[in-house]
Amino acid sequence: SCDSVTLARISVLPTVRGAATLNRSFVPLRPFTAPAQVPAALARTTAATRAEYGPAYRQNQQIGALAMHDAGFRGEGMQIAVFDAGFPGVDQIPALQPLFKENRLVGTRNFVDGGTSVFTRNSHGTNCLSTMGGNLPGFYIGTAPKATFHLCITEDVASEHPVEEANWLAAAEYADSAGVDVISSSLGYTTFDAPSKSYTYADMNGRTGISSR
């Protein structure tokens, strides 16, 4: 980040091809309350035959994860990076505690605020992580309950500007450097708040948007 005078000086450097403003707004964070744990009785109200999966049974069945689990494949040895808007409650939710007990949460990065604090902001990332890493038999079992995870905040839900694409890029470079096998990114960038310019379908060409480039 910089002011317009500094930007003008940077733009004339011989090594700089071009410059674009990615964000002009700042919205302070609102206090966040971690989501409440779903009562076990409600979690088990499924017509599935395998009660140990809880409400995650059908999604595991739909994509063939049950057969993989039965064959002994539960994500062991795989590193997954989750890019999202926040992960509040991950350090408290019982179904995610095996990540800490088994040292399978090996990296955290906050590319919105800086630093490594990720158990904050929006709960969308917590939800997405749970579908993979949740592991509490009789309550909820995700698709990769034995995988190793890296959690990265790249999305700022308070506003929409291309700076979030730059955050995504930085997270992708981090994930690659850490030897990550899979990036899970339930995010997309096409429509931005003014004064940023939104993308058209024609812009999805690998040459325009930061994330596509």
Side-chain angles (χ1 to χ4, degrees):
S1 61
C2 65
D3 56 29
S4 57
V5 174
T6 304
L7 179 60
R9 292 173 178 169
I10 293 173
S11 297
V12 298
L13 292 174
T15 54
V16 176
R17 179 183 296 172
T21 301
L22 300 181
N23 194 8
R24 284 197 178 98
S25 64
F26 174 76
V27 179
L29 278 176
R30 299 176 181 176
F32 187 87
T33 302
Q37 178 74 14
V38 178
L42 291 178
R44 296 194 182 98
T45 54
T46 172
T49 57
R50 301 195 182 187
E52 67 267 29
Y53 280 84
Y57 178 82
R58 294 192 183 282
Q59 64 196 35
N60 277 280
Q61 182 186 49
Q62 185 180 41
I63 65 172
L66 292 177
M68 293 183 69
H69 292 177
D70 288 343
F73 300 103
R74 293 175 173 253
E76 295 89 342
M78 298 296 293
Q79 293 196 55
I80 301 173
V82 185
F83 298 177
D84 219 293
F87 304 90
V90 166
D91 55 340
Q92 304 169 21
I93 296 172
L96 294 173
Q97 294 317 292
L99 295 178
F100 299 90
K101 295 177 181 177
E102 300 168 12
N103 296 316
R104 291 188 291 104
L105 181 55
V106 296
T108 60
R109 294 290 188 278
N110 186 333
F111 292 95
V112 174
D113 305 307
T116 59
S117 177
V118 298
F119 306 135
T120 182
R121 286 187 166 265
N122 188 273
S123 62
H124 189 268
T126 304
N127 298 341
C128 292
L129 172 66
S130 298
T131 66
M132 295 175 279
N135 191 14
L136 184 60
F139 183 77
Y140 193 99
I141 298 177
T143 54
K146 291 294 183 178
T148 296
F149 290 90
H150 301 254
L151 307 182
C152 299
I153 295 180
T154 64
E155 166 74 13
D156 180 4
V157 297
S159 62
E160 294 297 332
H161 291 285
V163 68
E164 294 170 280
E165 291 185 281
N167 296 340
W168 195 101
L169 171 59
E173 291 179 336
Y174 158 74
D176 179 63
S177 71
V180 162
D181 299 292
V182 177
I183 291 175
S184 171
S185 174
S186 182
L187 301 167
Y189 300 105
T190 56
T191 305
F192 300 116
D193 301 335
S196 297
K197 181 182 177 182
S198 297
Y199 297 136
T200 65
Y201 182 79
D203 291 330
M204 303 292 104
N205 53 19
R207 299 186 302 273
T208 306
I210 294 173
S211 53
S212 66
R213 282 156 47 196

